[in-house]
Structures are given as structure tokens and as C-alpha cells.
Amino acid sequence: MFSYRHAFHAGSHADILKHLTLIHLVEYLQEKPGALTMVDTHAGAGIYSLQDGFSTVSKEADGGIFRLTQYVETCKHANTPIPESILEYLKFINAENVDGQLTTYPGSPFILARLLRPQDRLKLFELHPKEIDILRHNIGELKQSKQIDIYAEDSFSRLKGLLPPPSRRGLILIDPSYEDKQDYRYLEAAMEEALKRFATGCYAIWYPVISRRESIALPDRLKKIAATHKRSWLHTELRVENAPGERRLQSSGMFIINPPWTLEKHLAQALPTLTKALGINGGGQFLLKNFEAKN
């Protein structure tokens, strides 16, 4: 299934939820000095133009990062407070742009690369035959490139070989396109194996909220997997529209296994603002639940 290109969705509301969550996870884990291994299972090209190419076809950034930055500017002029987590996220977006012009959107690989400390490692997987070459070129331009490994391999089958990392400290981002419905089954199998090998790792799973049976069932299936391994979890979703049909993605979610205790508060502060900023015709909604396992 090589039709999917993340550039179509760069800077969308789904990216905002994913990256705002991801930044907090990394910064929390880096409060300890030990080396952290980070894995992105579906890396894409790493960074994307918002001025040409696929992103200008879909225009998903218009309802995502452009809409959010406009909302934040309006709040600043009105002296309306903005949650620190959103301002922190925007720092990473602005770092890839110059003169205040939003022309580029960093994907997870570039955000994670900027977060690397000297002792950390980043491992990126990408199977798309065109994306992998673009990813290698883009990562090669970074000063952190020597800390980053790139694999043109199936991450679902290769992940278990990386776990546990040498330092026993790791963050794994799992964010396939789900264009192939088998991705749901592969994801569940990979999580079962990963938790057997590295039960204390932090796993961040992104998914689209769509009417497909596998998507609807995924959060409950992940809760069962977490319960089997006696792991805590946090589940969040952000909906920006509640319109009939699925002309475009209206909602997405993150499911975190072994979340830091600070994440719920972090999202509880950010999500109401995101629904106001990104909601269309009053369709902004969010979900936030967590469960703390008793060992």
C-alpha cells in the first residue's frame, strides 16, 4: 500500500494532537539524565512544504496549523491566555520557519531530532520507496544526523529487535496510515510482543477516528492489551467537525501506554483551547480518559 503520502496531511489537526502530545512525552522522559531511545515507526519524509506539493492539494493545514496560529495571534492581541503546552508546541513549528512566515511543517522525525540530547538515539522507519529517499536527504541535513538511524524496513516486524533499548528507557511512536486495514492487526500484534520484551516503555499510538469497524474497536482492544500486561494508559481524541460523511478526517486519537503522570493535566489544559481554535461550526469536541494500573 504505497499510495499514502503524509505530505497531504502535514499540519492537520491530527498532526497538532500527535505532536503536542509527543513533545510532552519526550520532555518528561528527559527529566532523567539516562539515554533515551526514540522510535518512529512510520516516519514519512520528515518535514514538509506548506507552499507547494501535496499539502496545497489537500489544504488540511488551513484547518490545522494555520487556523491555530491565527487563533493564538488573536488571543495575544486580546490578552487572552494560551496554555503553555500549545505555546511550547508552536516553538517547534516556528523553529523550522523564518521571519514569522509559516511555510514549512516538521513531521515527527524533525520534532524528535530537535529534542535529542547528546546521549539519545532516534530510529526512523519508512517503507515508501519515494519517501525513504526524501527522508534520508532531509535527515542528512541535520546536525543531529549521526544520532539517527533510518530503516527501509517493516517497522511492525522489526520493532521487537530494538526492544528493550540498551538504557531500558524508550519512547515508541506508532502512527501508520491505516489505509490497509491489516495495519490494525499488525499494530495489536506488535504491541503484544513489545510489552513482553519492554513492559516499561512508553508507547504512543496515533489513529484516525473513522467509521471503519477496526478503527472503532481499536481503543478498547488496546485497553485489553494494556490490562493483560498490567500497564497504565491514557486515551484522548480531538474532533474538529461533526458533519455527515467523511470527506475529510474529522477526528483522531492518541492512546498512550505507560503515560507520565503529568500528561493528563497537560492535555486537560490544551484540549479545550484546541477545540475552540480548530472546531468548525461548533463541532469541536475532545475526549480524555486515563487508567492507572495497580501492580
Side-chain angles (χ1 to χ4, degrees):
M1 297 286 290
F2 290 133
S3 61
Y4 178 86
R5 303 292 289 273
H6 186 73
F8 281 111
H9 312 289
S12 66
H13 61 85
D15 266 356
I16 291 171
L17 176 64
K18 175 168 61 176
H19 295 150
L20 185 142
T21 303
L22 189 64
I23 290 165
H24 183 77
L25 292 175
V26 177
E27 291 183 337
Y28 177 86
L29 291 169
Q30 288 179 334
E31 289 180 3
K32 294 183 179 180
L36 178 65
T37 296
M38 296 178 277
V39 180
D40 186 344
T41 63
H42 296 77
I47 193 166
Y48 308 93
S49 170
L50 298 177
Q51 288 188 308
D52 52 44
F54 296 125
S55 68
T56 60
V57 176
S58 67
K59 298 187 181 299
E60 290 191 20
D62 289 357
I65 188 60
F66 286 118
R67 193 179 181 102
L68 178 60
T69 52
Q70 289 169 1
Y71 180 84
V72 169
E73 284 303 310
T74 299
C75 288
K76 286 180 179 178
H77 289 305
N79 291 319
T80 302
I82 295 294
E84 186 60 35
S85 55
I86 293 177
L87 297 176
E88 176 74 2
Y89 156 74
L90 290 175
K91 287 179 184 178
F92 284 83
I93 309 307
N94 294 334
E96 304 298 342
N97 292 276
V98 295
D99 299 328
Q101 299 298 309
L102 185 54
T103 61
T104 303
Y105 189 87
S108 304
F110 265 58
I111 290 174
L112 292 173
R114 281 197 173 271
L115 284 161
L116 285 169
R117 302 168 300 174
Q119 66 269 40
D120 297 332
R121 298 290 302 186
L122 175 57
K123 299 179 183 296
L124 306 175
F125 287 87
E126 180 53 52
L127 266 180
H128 196 288
K130 293 183 178 178
E131 294 281 72
I132 187 66
D133 290 336
I134 300 171
L135 177 66
R136 286 182 174 129
H137 170 78
N138 289 339
I139 293 298
E141 299 292 311
L142 296 177
K143 65 179 181 180
Q144 304 95 334
S145 60
K146 292 184 178 179
Q147 295 174 255
I148 303 172
D149 302 313
I150 300 175
Y151 305 90
E153 300 179 46
D154 174 19
S155 58
F156 286 131
S157 59
R158 183 72 171 82
L159 179 61
K160 61 185 179 182
L162 300 179
L163 303 176
S167 65
R168 302 276 171 164
R169 302 186 69 249
L171 169 65
I172 296 86
L173 172 64
I174 304 177
D175 57 342
S177 69
Y178 300 96
E179 278 199 325
D180 182 350
K181 67 180 182 180
Q182 295 299 322
D183 280 347
Y184 295 92
R185 182 169 62 85
Y186 297 148
L187 164 61
E188 291 168 25
M191 280 306 310
E192 289 278 13
E193 184 66 34
L195 287 170
K196 288 177 185 176
R197 292 172 176 262
F198 185 37
T200 58
C202 182
Y203 298 89
I205 300 154
W206 176 88
Y207 65 96
V209 178
I210 54 178
S211 57
R212 175 179 276 179
R213 175 170 50 88
E214 292 84 0
S215 175
I216 295 169
L218 183 61
D220 284 340
R221 295 182 71 86
L222 290 172
K223 290 173 188 177
K224 289 179 180 178
I225 291 172
T228 298
H229 295 272
K230 299 180 179 179
R231 298 288 106 193
S232 299
W233 54 261
L234 182 144
H235 176 210
T236 186
E237 291 181 359
L238 173 65
R239 175 171 291 280
V240 300
E241 189 174 7
N242 199 9
E246 291 179 350
R247 304 180 309 281
R248 52 183 174 263
L249 184 64
Q250 300 179 21
S251 179
S252 70
M254 292 290 291
F255 194 94
I256 317 299
I257 295 179
N258 295 322
W261 67 272
T262 55
L263 181 59
E264 183 181 21
K265 180 180 178 182
H266 173 84
L267 291 173
Q269 293 173 341
L271 287 167
T273 298
L274 292 180
T275 59
K276 290 179 183 177
L278 305 178
I280 300 172
N281 297 324
Q285 303 172 37
F286 70 89
L287 175 151
L288 181 59
K289 297 181 179 179
N290 75 334
F291 172 78
E292 187 174 348
K294 305 297 183 184
N295 295 318

